Amino acid sequence: MRKLEKYVPTKFMSETSHYDNSAADYAVNFIECLCHTKGTWAHKPFELIDWQEKIIRDIFGVLKPNGYRQFNTAYIEIPKKQGKSELAAAVALLLTCGDGEERAEVYGCAADRQQASIVFNVAADMVRMCPALSKRVKILDSQKRLIYQPTGSIYQVLSADVGNKHGFNTHGVVFDELHTQPNRKLYDVMTKGSGDARMQPLYFLITTAGNDTKSICYEIHQKALDIIKGRKIDHTFYPVIYGAEESDDWTDPKVWAKANPSLGITVGIDKVQDACESAKQNPAEENSFRQLRLNQWVKQAVRWMPMEKWDKCAFAVRDDDLEGRVCYGGLDLSSTTDITAFVLIFPPRDEDEKYIILPYFWIPEDNLELRVRRDHVPYDLWQRQGFLQITEGNVVHYGFIEKFIEQLGEKFNIREIAFDRWGAVQMVQNLEGMGFTVVPFGQGFKDMSPPTKELMKLTLEEKIAHGGQPILRWNMDNIFIRTDPAGNIKPDKEKSTEKIDGAVATIMALDRAIRCGNDNTESVYDSRGILFIDTY
């Protein structure tokens, strides 16, 4: 493992402070008496990597004239899989057991108790693997609490409701994944005045970049950036940010190395390479790669469909050629004054065929001219071209749509119709009365993610045919995608620039077509499973 060859004091040291080598050595030696706890590193001595050692020496070795630490806040922003949890756990133990503070109160904080317990569990395992600490530290797993008995000091994981409490006498706080904090309450309670009774409290904030630019983490990120760039001066604040610049080429291995100081040690370059290739193939994964692997702040929602790829799938579609074919429908009613979309998807009958998409759209007649003027969208042109149908009145006439679907059912073999549960109760009952099989389709990550990823995959492989339908193209171009921490995705109606009803209906219909297929074909999900793209 690399070691720091020569220590250069941090540029953030004030004119009156000094670097105390013995204090820094003590902190480094304490941590290096601990052991790693996971994977191939388990039970091996915790030899600090150079970037980790630099942080420890700066924080614990730079002292004010009175002998106490200069820095009381350390903000460490770094990509995933760089040894972040192990470093945070080691700092927590150093503050609890090795800082010479009587009755020290050290707290582990995160967005929830489960997240905060990750660092605690590492710290507890470090204690168990260290003979000197295991004799002196009592571990209360059920309470997520460590007690260093010689000084009566504690390390305690805090519950999620602590943001409403006060009265802490804090010597140390370890904030894990600060970017996941839903608001600033917990941060303010733990850092604003809680350590006033201590001579050298330390707030150790360690996180990956996030996506919410209105969050407390982004506020601290901006402060750290300002200090690094010299725009602000705060001698109590120690900033470290490892990440790629916005202008950097995110596919360049040199950029990966710049952003990941533990590359080749705690994370293999092959893992980053695989994640990058995945992001290249699926644009929806690019932001996850940038955030998690390159530590860039990105928007939570990301424009999704590469339209040049979508346009390559504008293969001719003739509905007369599809008469009698098995197909599946997706119905998105939206609101009564808005667009309603119904999409049929015909699954391929053999390997040479494509998934064929037939979309239908309706809008209230009385709203047509208003919508054209207000939204600057050519609804009137689409209506004249036959791509958009109008229903009488100022609201969508569901009875008209039901009759139209009934007529489609006479022409095509519509096996199932998937629908969004919201606002479709009466129409669903009417369609069932006509003999259709109608299935509810959830709009959350669980239901939407697999077919959304499949739609992208089929588009990139040119295995769909949509005939270039302009309203559906417009919908696809409007889609923004929301991603959850597990890498699941779904269309985000709130963040999408305009209407995406046809796209949502397409995704629902595609799910049924993939799961059920034709009489003689098996589901793609059955043959190779649901498509998961690893972004971690």
Side-chain angles (χ1 to χ4, degrees), residues 515-529:
R515 291 185 184 278
C516 304
N518 289 288
D519 291 336
N520 298 321
T521 61
E522 64 176 0
S523 164
V524 172
Y525 295 157
D526 291 335
S527 61
R528 65 132 169 86

Side-chain angles (χ1 to χ4, degrees), residues 59-127:
I59 294 173
F60 290 92
V62 176
L63 306 182
K64 296 183 292 186
N66 61 9
Y68 294 112
R69 290 190 288 266
Q70 173 185 312
F71 301 110
N72 62 33
T73 300
Y75 178 79
I76 317 298
E77 189 180 288
I78 195 165
K80 293 280 189 180
K81 306 301 181 185
Q82 302 299 300
K84 178 166 57 67
S85 296
E86 303 269 333
L87 181 62
V91 169
L93 288 177
L94 175 54
L95 293 173
T96 306
C97 310
D99 215 21
E101 186 79 7
E102 289 291 329
R103 300 292 190 272
E105 296 178 22
V106 181
Y107 296 101
C109 300
D112 53 48
R113 186 179 176 86
Q114 182 177 0
Q115 178 68 41
S117 296
I118 293 175
V119 173
F120 173 87
N121 291 337
V122 173
D125 285 341
M126 285 179 167
V127 169

Side-chain angles (χ1 to χ4, degrees), residues 316-323 356 358:
V317 174
R318 285 173 43 86
D319 56 357
D320 289 342
D321 296 338
L322 300 170
E323 190 167 346
I356 298 174
L358 275 185

Side-chain angles (χ1 to χ4, degrees), residues 38 41 49 51-52 78-86 118 177 207-208 259-269 271-272 291-295 534-536:
K38 296 179 181 178
W41 296 101
I49 307 171
W51 69 270
Q52 295 174 326
I78 195 165
K80 293 280 189 180
K81 306 301 181 185
Q82 302 299 300
K84 178 166 57 67
S85 296
E86 303 269 333
I118 293 175
E177 297 296 11
T207 187
T208 303
N260 294 265
S262 296
L263 190 64
I265 302 175
T266 62
V267 60
I269 194 170
K271 299 292 185 182
V272 182
Q291 177 189 348
L292 301 178
R293 298 291 188 180
L294 300 184
N295 204 48
D534 180 18
T535 60
Y536 289 87

Side-chain angles (χ1 to χ4, degrees), residues 107 109 158 162 168 170 172-173 175 185-195 203:
Y107 296 101
C109 300
L158 296 178
V162 75
F168 296 101
T170 305
V173 175
F175 252 107
K185 286 183 179 179
L186 181 58
Y187 178 83
D188 285 347
V189 166
M190 299 311 301
T191 62
K192 307 299 183 185
S194 68
Y203 310 111

Side-chain angles (χ1 to χ4, degrees), residues 351-369:
E351 292 183 357
D352 296 327
E353 285 192 338
K354 305 179 188 299
Y355 284 87
I356 298 174
I357 303 176
L358 275 185
Y360 304 91
F361 298 90
W362 295 268
I363 195 172
E365 182 178 19
D366 291 355
N367 294 345
L368 184 62
E369 292 184 6

